[in-house]
Amino acid sequence: MLEKLAHIEERYEELTNELSSPELISNPSAYAKAAKQLRTLGEKVEKYREWKSLKEQLSGARELVDATADDDEMREMARSEVNTLEQKISATETELRRLLIPSDPKDEKNVIMEIRAGTGGDEASLFANEMLRMYGRFAEKHGWRFEILDVSESGVGGIKEGVALIEGDKVYSKLKYESGVHRVQRVPQTEASGRIHTSAITVAVLPEAEEVDVKIDPKDLRIDTFCSSGPGGQSVNTTYSAVRITHLPTNVVVSMQDEKSQIKNREKAMRVLRARLQEIEEQKQHDAQASERRSMVGSGDRSEKIRTYNFKENRVTDHRIGLTIHQLDLVMEGNIDEIVQALSTHYEAEKLKREAVAA
């Protein structure tokens, strides 16, 4: 492990020097790639240097124990310091082993997020709209770019479906555990008796697939253009700017009409299509399931929930890890870091256990 960490530190120093070279600065693509690699190595190097510093302190503390043989009080203080440092070193080594476990290569990717209203009628569509806003606020707090690619509105101010692109540093690593059925319990505004209704939505988090990840043969695509519907003015509703792309081998259909430009709508539709096709291929590899959606989010039924949002009790509960937070009002404003971190910690611990068993 130590030899591997030393090589990582050496590579980190090389990248640090390379990033200041005029040749790399003049090549934006290569510079971005090197900077991304530097960030990836940075956490490991920081923890490794912390470990080396603790080892040096431990060596000094042990020398002090030997040098204070005639002073019981000083010797006891030195022994206490040795015990403290040994515990810190043990914890740091555990963290280093975790950091050296190969990460999911998708963790660095941007995300295509799809939110759909499930059971619950109008209330489900309203909650779907609120959840789309929540993730938008979360992205904003992290300095990510949040772009709504497509929205299918309902007649009550909610949405039947919303598709968003989230771009930033390690977006997928933060949001990958958000996939599943999210259940809401509250009294709808239209409920005169004050009875609590239970509704559900589905959230799918797909790592954005690059062209090199998914090869699409143009002959496998049927591309239709049509006039956009909904608000937008004369230029939107009378020109053939909307695009519908059908991938014939899988019958996956993606429609996009957000932009006035047909070219831009086509680019957005292709980004969503690549993400969906990659998900289908990964599902075939992992569990050979035919449906590209069900394994991620289920059917949208209330009983399949991964998380419950109870507005009356101002409570949100993640059922996978038994976490309950009584600050739902803050959560709906995008403050979901505690949940995201708890999920990440839980699944990383599970991964460490599997690695230990395999070893």
Side-chain angles (χ1 to χ4, degrees), residues 106-114 135 144-147 149 163-168 170-179 203-210 271-272 275:
K106 299 190 293 291
D107 280 352
E108 301 286 336
K109 290 184 176 292
N110 298 322
V111 155
I112 301 289
M113 176 175 280
E114 302 178 347
Y135 286 118
W144 298 339
R145 179 172 174 267
F146 184 87
E147 179 185 2
L149 299 181
V163 182
L165 169 67
I166 309 176
E167 296 177 311
K170 296 185 177 181
V171 176
Y172 185 72
S173 71
K174 297 287 197 307
L175 292 176
K176 59 184 176 182
Y177 302 121
E178 292 301 299
S179 294
V203 176
V205 178
L206 313 178
E208 186 185 16
E210 306 292 338
R271 296 178 83 168
V272 175

Side-chain angles (χ1 to χ4, degrees), residues 54-282:
L54 288 170
K55 291 290 283 187
E56 289 179 3
Q57 294 175 49
L58 178 61
S59 177
R62 283 173 172 166
E63 290 178 2
L64 187 59
V65 170
D66 295 335
T68 56
D70 298 331
D71 188 331
D72 291 342
E73 185 177 351
M74 287 295 295
R75 185 180 178 85
E76 188 59 34
M77 289 176 61
R79 281 177 175 171
S80 177
E81 180 69 10
V82 166
N83 291 336
T84 300
L85 288 168
E86 286 177 341
Q87 291 175 13
K88 288 183 178 180
I89 288 171
S90 177
T92 303
E93 288 174 349
T94 299
E95 182 67 9
L96 281 170
R97 282 192 288 271
R98 183 190 68 80
L99 291 172
L100 288 177
I101 294 175
S103 61
D104 186 341
K106 299 190 293 291
D107 280 352
E108 301 286 336
K109 290 184 176 292
N110 298 322
V111 155
I112 301 289
M113 176 175 280
E114 302 178 347
I115 297 177
R116 294 183 176 88
T119 55
D122 289 344
E123 182 64 16
S125 73
L126 288 168
F127 188 59
N129 194 26
E130 292 173 50
M131 289 292 286
L132 184 64
R133 176 183 176 275
M134 182 193 79
Y135 286 118
R137 296 297 301 274
F138 179 69
E140 180 184 338
K141 293 176 188 296
H142 284 264
W144 298 339
R145 179 172 174 267
F146 184 87
E147 179 185 2
I148 295 178
L149 299 181
D150 191 39
V151 169
S152 174
E153 298 178 349
S154 68
V156 294
I159 61 171
K160 300 174 184 176
E161 177 183 356
V163 182
L165 169 67
I166 309 176
E167 296 177 311
D169 184 33
K170 296 185 177 181
V171 176
Y172 185 72
S173 71
K174 297 287 197 307
L175 292 176
K176 59 184 176 182
Y177 302 121
E178 292 301 299
S179 294
V181 175
H182 296 243
R183 184 178 70 171
V184 58
Q185 296 175 325
R186 64 182 174 188
V187 179
Q189 294 181 355
T190 56
E191 177 59 55
S193 64
R195 184 168 59 92
I196 293 177
H197 284 223
T198 299
S199 306
I201 69 163
T202 62
V203 176
V205 178
L206 313 178
E208 186 185 16
E210 306 292 338
E211 291 187 41
V212 295
D213 298 328
V214 178
K215 297 293 184 182
I216 300 177
D217 191 332
K219 298 193 296 291
D220 290 337
L221 300 179
R222 185 178 73 236
I223 301 177
D224 303 307
T225 58
F226 54 97
C227 294
S228 298
S229 60
Q234 184 176 2
S235 63
V236 172
N237 297 302
T238 61
T239 61
Y240 285 81
S241 58
V243 173
R244 181 187 300 110
I245 300 179
T246 304
H247 185 252
L248 300 175
T250 60
N251 202 34
V252 173
V253 180
V254 179
S255 298
M256 202 65 59
Q257 62 177 18
D258 188 58
E259 301 283 349
K260 295 181 181 179
S261 165
Q262 183 184 122
I263 294 175
K264 291 183 178 179
N265 280 328
R266 178 169 174 164
E267 290 175 351
K268 287 185 175 182
M270 286 299 295
R271 296 178 83 168
V272 175
L273 178 63
R274 280 194 293 269
R276 290 183 181 175
L277 291 180
Q278 178 171 268
E279 183 201 12
I280 292 173
E281 184 59 33
E282 288 178 353

